Amino acid sequence: MESRRDRLSSLDLVPEHAQDDVVWAVRELNKRTRTQADILVELNDRLAVKGVTPISPSAFNRKAVRLKALRQRIETTREVMSGITDLTAGDLDDHAAKLGHLMMMLIAELVSDGEDRSSKELKEIADAFKSIVSGQKISADRRQKVEADADAKAAKTVAAVEKVAKQAGLSAETTTDLKSAFLGIGK
């Protein structure tokens, strides 16, 4: 028994010479200024002039629903990416983890969409997942190293301030004030 997903819709069967009308209809749907029914009527009028069988309302509706879902995914991706563009080095690891989780969610959605996947496609999906997890580990390891280096440098700086303050004969209170002012620690 042939699955419904394998059948071509009337939109898929529009001949090449009328594809520009389908593109026009898709653009009109994306503008979101007219009703779907109005666009379908005008599309079918354009197709009739070219001698093409009209598009069924159900096929056009399915196309509109798929386009809406695609628009929403694109908008979500834009929002995620706009939040990533202004990252500082310190923010990078947190955002890498969030982006990794988003990508894993998209992989899960891709796998659960009901499509039959070839073994090659499944391997590519598994490799993508493995790369995401590996990237998150590398990011976490790098962050730990950066934090350890910063802690070591801070400890050396504190020791140097305390040594210089002692040699200069500064009081403990003045030393604490200096550490607070220059290093943000103490008080």
Side-chain angles (χ1 to χ4, degrees), residues 96-155:
K98 290 175 186 173
L99 185 59
H101 289 304
L102 175 67
M103 291 167 63
M104 285 189 270
M105 180 186 74
L106 292 173
I107 287 172
E109 184 179 321
L110 178 69
V111 171
S112 66
D113 68 1
E115 292 285 327
D116 287 332
R117 305 260 183 245
S118 70
S119 58
K120 180 182 177 190
E121 290 172 318
L122 291 173
K123 182 182 181 331
E124 289 170 350
I125 291 169
D127 287 346
F129 182 79
K130 182 180 175 185
S131 294
I132 292 166
V133 172
S134 176
Q136 287 178 321
K137 180 177 179 350
I138 289 168
S139 181
D141 291 348
R142 186 185 63 78
R143 182 181 193 126
Q144 287 175 346
K145 184 182 180 321
V146 167
E147 287 174 353
D149 289 348
D151 290 345
K153 287 179 183 177

Side-chain angles (χ1 to χ4, degrees), residues 10-11 24-25 28-29 34-47 54-61:
S10 53
L11 263 170
W24 168 84
E28 289 298 307
L29 285 170
R34 298 174 58 189
T35 67
Q36 184 177 316
D38 288 343
I39 297 168
L40 177 60
V41 167
E42 189 170 340
L43 173 63
N44 282 334
D45 289 345
R46 288 170 166 232
L47 294 175
I55 304 301
S56 69
S58 60
F60 196 68
N61 185 55

Side-chain angles (χ1 to χ4, degrees), residues 5-75:
R5 290 181 187 240
D6 293 339
R7 279 194 5 204
L8 296 175
S9 74
S10 53
L11 263 170
D12 297 325
L13 297 172
V14 171
E16 190 65 34
H17 72 277
Q19 283 297 317
D20 59 327
D21 294 315
V22 174
V23 170
W24 168 84
V26 168
R27 283 188 186 136
E28 289 298 307
L29 285 170
N30 285 331
K31 286 180 188 175
R32 300 176 65 201
T33 57
R34 298 174 58 189
T35 67
Q36 184 177 316
D38 288 343
I39 297 168
L40 177 60
V41 167
E42 189 170 340
L43 173 63
N44 282 334
D45 289 345
R46 288 170 166 232
L47 294 175
V49 168
K50 295 181 179 179
V52 177
T53 308
I55 304 301
S56 69
S58 60
F60 196 68
N61 185 55
R62 284 191 301 274
K63 180 72 165 185
V65 167
R66 284 191 304 269
L67 286 172
K68 182 179 180 185
L70 179 61
R71 268 195 315 271
Q72 288 172 337
R73 283 190 180 120
I74 289 170
E75 186 59 35

